[in-house]
Amino acid sequence: MAAVSLRKSNARLPPEVNRVLYVRNLPFNISSEEMYDIFGKYGAIRQIRLGNAKDTRGTAFVVYEDIYDAKNAVDHLSGFNVANRYLIVLYYQPTKMSKKSDVKKKEEEITRLQEKYGLGSKTPSSSTSA
């Protein structure tokens, strides 16, 4: 109902709002069907991707067909209790997600340049022995 009233009033949405949601703190054993049951109540879902690697377990991406459905889901499901875990539902922001990989790339680039120019990568703390 709230999403319908938003559409009719042509309300402007904040810039971070989009159709893709990033969900954290999921139970590791949650199934895709359970995810569709929980998130499908708020609108048509295009895709759900559950994390299955060691570092992505307990996370998922939920893509809605409509941006207002995604906003409705965030408003209602943030803090929702699933198997004694409180969900963290955020709008996916690619710039924040890519920062982690950018740091690794920069570290690799620094190491490559240090080797290229023969600079030692020793730090003062690593030269002392205990």
Side-chain angles (χ1 to χ4, degrees):
M1 291 289 181
V4 174
S5 64
L6 274 175
R7 279 185 216 140
K8 288 182 180 178
S9 67
N10 228 5
R12 288 186 51 114
L13 294 173
E16 72 272 4
V17 175
N18 64 43
R19 296 180 314 125
V20 184
L21 305 182
Y22 178 60
V23 185
R24 295 182 6 212
N25 205 31
L26 285 165
F28 289 170
N29 60 351
I30 195 165
S31 68
S32 295
E33 292 78 23
E34 291 170 318
M35 290 289 291
Y36 276 100
D37 288 345
I38 294 168
F39 286 88
K41 293 177 183 175
Y42 299 98
I45 295 174
R46 179 172 290 187
Q47 185 180 62
I48 291 181
R49 294 278 188 134
L50 283 168
N52 55 6
K54 184 179 179 185
D55 58 336
T56 61
R57 289 180 65 188
T59 65
F61 289 99
V62 179
V63 183
Y64 279 92
E65 293 286 344
D66 185 54
I67 193 168
Y68 292 100
D69 295 339
K71 183 180 184 331
N72 196 16
V74 169
D75 292 345
H76 288 92
L77 291 176
S78 290
F80 186 72
N81 191 338
V82 176
N84 292 325
R85 298 183 73 115
Y86 294 98
L87 298 184
I88 301 169
V89 184
L90 307 166
Y91 296 107
Y92 173 65
Q93 296 175 330
T95 55
K96 286 187 178 181
M97 294 297 218
S98 65
K99 282 185 182 177
K100 291 179 183 176
S101 63
D102 288 347
V103 170
K104 289 179 184 175
K105 287 180 185 177
K106 286 183 181 183
E107 287 175 350
E108 291 169 2
E109 179 70 13
I110 290 170
T111 304
R112 187 184 63 76
L113 288 172
Q114 285 176 337
E115 291 171 358
K116 179 179 178 182
Y117 293 107
L119 298 173
S121 61
K122 294 180 181 175
T123 60
S125 62
S126 65
S127 61
T128 60
S129 58

